[in-house]
């Protein structure tokens, strides 16, 4: 199959890394391919796959976009990876925990907080992934990051297990939420299941499975989403024909756009074809579109 350009929503199965899933799609002829937002092997759900020129918008897709996850955790056990993939390092009594206690603990997730990054993660220290340091038995530095949780709810409780749903800022670690809850309760906890249901602006219900694609690769044509739909808050600016050559050469162009807002990012288009990603800049005292990335999707 020829190289495609666009966004594909994939329902990743459990037990498969995001990189392995991408490798399966490469076998369909999609050599230029990437994804936005890694899912751990134990996790299932929405993986945003970027084909061809769509790989150029990866960083922008992850900016300020919320994600929704549902999952389960188990109280009383702590592992080195903070989920069931790791080795149990402690087991404690959880019999004192009540549903009310859990309700209050989950409410503590809400808002902005500083989250500890799991020691077994792809986060880097001096250019090396933390999980590589951990697997080599080396000391793993404690790293933290700021996250925001806008919604958190318990779906059911069957002690020692609990199912929950959260909506969080991009880059949040759900394993860390489970681990921190266990630490606060004093009994420990580990993540046992995880599904990504939503990653702005896309939903899992619109995703396709690998099995469906492998059985009928041609459905890829009907499942592709245009680049501009991946960034629905960005405006699409239609160019005059005289500006097309300059944009294709990566040169800034002046604009008389009435809604010009400095630093705004937009798509530049000509006759319905997206040609570039640009940013509003004042260059030599003139409102201009400065080209960030050229796009060739024809």
């Amino acid at each position: 199959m020829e190289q495609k350009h666009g966004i594909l929503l994939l329902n990743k199965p459990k037990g498969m890394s995001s990189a392995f899933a991408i490798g399966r799609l490469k076998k369909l002829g999609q050599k230029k391919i990437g994804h936005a937002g890694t899912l751990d092997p134990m996790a299932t759900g929405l993986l945003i796959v970027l084909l061809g020129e769509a790989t150029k918008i990866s960083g922008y897709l992850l900016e300020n976009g919320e994600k929704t996850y549902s999952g389960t955790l188990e109280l009383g056990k702590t592992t080195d990876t903070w989920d069931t993939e790791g080795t149990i390092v402690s087991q404690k009594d959880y019999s004192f925990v009540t549903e009310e206690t859990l309700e209050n603990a989950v409410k503590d997730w809400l808002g902005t907080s500083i989250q500890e990054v799991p020691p077994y993660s792809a986060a880097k220290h001096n250019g090396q992934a933390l999980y590589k340091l951990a697997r080599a038995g080396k000391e793993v530095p404690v790293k933290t990051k700021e996250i925001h949780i806008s919604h958190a709810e318990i779906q059911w409780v069957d002690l020692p297990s609990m199912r929950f749903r959260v909506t969080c800022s991009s880059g949040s670690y759900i394993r860390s939420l489970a681990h921190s809850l266990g630490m606060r309760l004093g009994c420990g906890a580990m993540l046992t299941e995880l599904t990504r249901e939503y990653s702005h602006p896309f939903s899992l219900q619109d995703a396709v499975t690998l099995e469906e694609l492998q059985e009928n690769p041609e459905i890829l044509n009907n499942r592709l989403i245009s680049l501009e739909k991946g960034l629905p808050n960005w405006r699409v600016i239609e160019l005059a024909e005289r500006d097309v050559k300059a944009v294709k050469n990566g040169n800034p162009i002046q604009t008389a756009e009435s809604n010009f807002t400095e630093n705004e990012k937009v798509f530049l288009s000509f006759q319905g074809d997206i040609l570039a990603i640009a940013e509003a800049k004042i260059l030599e005292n003139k409102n201009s579109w400065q080209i960030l990335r050229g796009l060739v999707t024809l």
Side-chain angles (χ1 to χ4, degrees), residues 159-177:
L159 292 173
S161 296
M162 178 189 84
R163 185 168 185 83
F164 61 89
R165 176 180 282 122
V166 295
T167 298
C168 55
S169 55
S170 181
S172 301
Y173 288 95
I174 311 303
R175 282 182 290 152
S176 293
L177 290 180

Side-chain angles (χ1 to χ4, degrees), residues 76 78 92-94 96-97 179-189:
T78 304
K92 295 182 180 180
D93 177 47
Y94 62 84
F96 60 91
V97 178
H179 180 72
S180 65
L181 180 144
M183 295 291 286
R184 291 198 307 276
L185 293 177
C187 62

Side-chain angles (χ1 to χ4, degrees), residues 7 9 43 45 57 60 64 67 69 71 74 96 145 148 156 169 172 182 196 238 241 254 256 271 275 295-296:
I7 301 166
L9 305 183
I57 69 171
Y60 305 114
N64 305 316
K67 300 181 180 182
Y69 295 89
E74 182 179 343
F96 60 91
K145 65 184 306 181
H148 183 79
W156 52 254
S169 55
S172 301
R196 183 188 288 157
E238 184 67 19
E241 186 172 6
Q254 294 177 22
Q271 295 183 345
L275 301 182
L295 301 170
V296 183

Side-chain angles (χ1 to χ4, degrees), residues 96-120:
F96 60 91
V97 178
T98 65
E99 289 194 30
E100 183 180 2
T101 305
L102 285 173
E103 285 281 0
N104 292 330
V106 168
K107 286 179 182 177
D108 285 341
W109 284 346
L110 291 168
T112 301
S113 63
I114 301 299
Q115 181 181 74
E116 185 177 344
V117 175
Y120 282 81

Side-chain angles (χ1 to χ4, degrees), residues 78-283:
T78 304
T79 69
D80 53 0
T81 60
W82 302 355
D83 60 22
T84 55
E85 298 289 288
T87 301
I88 294 176
V89 294
S90 72
Q91 290 186 258
K92 295 182 180 180
D93 177 47
Y94 62 84
S95 61
F96 60 91
V97 178
T98 65
E99 289 194 30
E100 183 180 2
T101 305
L102 285 173
E103 285 281 0
N104 292 330
V106 168
K107 286 179 182 177
D108 285 341
W109 284 346
L110 291 168
T112 301
S113 63
I114 301 299
Q115 181 181 74
E116 185 177 344
V117 175
Y120 282 81
S121 69
K124 290 183 170 54
H125 175 69
N126 293 334
Q128 191 165 17
L130 296 188
Y131 72 85
K132 290 185 177 180
L133 296 175
R135 288 175 181 171
K138 298 180 180 179
E139 182 178 356
V140 179
V142 175
K143 297 181 75 69
T144 60
K145 65 184 306 181
E146 183 178 274
I147 66 165
H148 183 79
I149 307 294
S150 61
H151 175 80
E153 64 172 301
I154 293 177
Q155 295 182 301
W156 52 254
V157 175
D158 184 13
L159 292 173
S161 296
M162 178 189 84
R163 185 168 185 83
F164 61 89
R165 176 180 282 122
V166 295
T167 298
C168 55
S169 55
S170 181
S172 301
Y173 288 95
I174 311 303
R175 282 182 290 152
S176 293
L177 290 180
H179 180 72
S180 65
L181 180 144
M183 295 291 286
R184 291 198 307 276
L185 293 177
C187 62
M190 64 177 180
L191 188 68
T192 52
E193 291 182 9
L194 185 66
T195 298
R196 183 188 288 157
E197 300 179 349
Y198 177 84
S199 182
H200 181 75
F202 302 117
S203 174
L204 175 59
Q205 66 185 15
D206 298 318
V208 64
T209 65
L210 279 173
E211 289 75 14
E212 289 173 313
L213 285 169
Q214 289 170 333
E215 289 174 6
N216 183 13
E218 292 302 319
I219 67 174
L220 179 60
N221 295 317
N222 299 324
R223 289 287 189 162
L224 277 184
I225 299 169
S226 63
L227 276 63
E228 59 268 32
K229 288 185 178 178
L231 296 163
N233 294 329
W234 285 26
R235 293 191 294 151
V236 178
I237 305 299
E238 184 67 19
L239 297 172
E241 186 172 6
R242 64 177 180 275
D243 293 324
V244 170
K245 184 176 181 179
V247 168
K248 287 185 175 181
N249 289 333
N251 299 321
I253 58 172
Q254 294 177 22
T255 177
E257 175 66 32
S258 59
N259 295 323
F260 185 88
T261 303
E262 192 171 10
N263 300 322
E264 179 190 11
K265 294 183 181 67
V266 300
F267 289 109
L268 298 182
S269 171
F270 180 66
Q271 295 183 345
D273 296 321
I274 302 297
L275 301 182
I277 294 170
E279 187 171 11
K281 290 291 183 183
I282 299 176
L283 304 175

